[in-house]
Amino acid sequence: VFEIKNPERITAEELKSLDIRQGDRIILKTANSSYEWYKKPFNEKFISFSNDGAAYLAEKKIKTVGIDYLSVGGIDNGIEVHNHLLGAGIW
């Protein structure tokens, strides 16, 4: 489990500072954890992956990634993020 400090996106820059290795299964804790999504309206500005963040994990060849909201991709880049991760076999 790694804590992400960026208040907007999960970026390659921040992921590179973490000890992530090929084959890892990782969970990312963001500020999303403090948002009670099951009690409040959908937050369109939730913290999600940037395209370069998702591409970085694909390059690292991890096995699985989880984050603390409803999707790994944002409103503006969901398809691209999912394509990076799922295209690399990352669940």
Side-chain angles (χ1 to χ4, degrees):
V1 176
F2 296 105
E3 185 169 3
I4 299 297
K5 302 291 185 186
N6 188 313
E8 297 176 6
R9 293 287 175 143
I10 302 166
T11 65
E13 180 181 0
E14 188 166 6
L15 293 170
K16 287 176 183 177
S17 72
L18 307 175
D19 185 24
I20 298 173
R21 301 178 190 162
Q22 182 176 341
D24 279 354
R25 295 168 179 90
I26 63 172
I27 297 174
L28 302 175
K29 180 182 184 255
T30 71
N32 291 331
S33 289
S34 64
Y35 188 79
E36 295 179 319
W37 60 270
Y38 52 90
K39 291 182 180 178
K40 295 182 179 180
F42 179 71
N43 178 9
E44 290 189 5
K45 295 182 180 182
F46 66 95
I47 299 167
S48 60
F49 278 93
S50 64
N51 290 335
D52 73 325
Y56 176 74
L57 291 185
E59 290 171 18
K60 292 297 281 187
K61 299 181 181 177
I62 67 164
K63 289 187 177 188
T64 305
V65 62
I67 66 168
D68 52 359
Y69 205 65
L70 304 175
S71 180
V72 292
I75 297 292
D76 61 334
N77 70 344
I79 293 171
E80 294 90 347
V81 167
H82 281 88
N83 285 338
H84 281 300
L85 297 175
L86 294 173
I90 300 170
W91 294 94

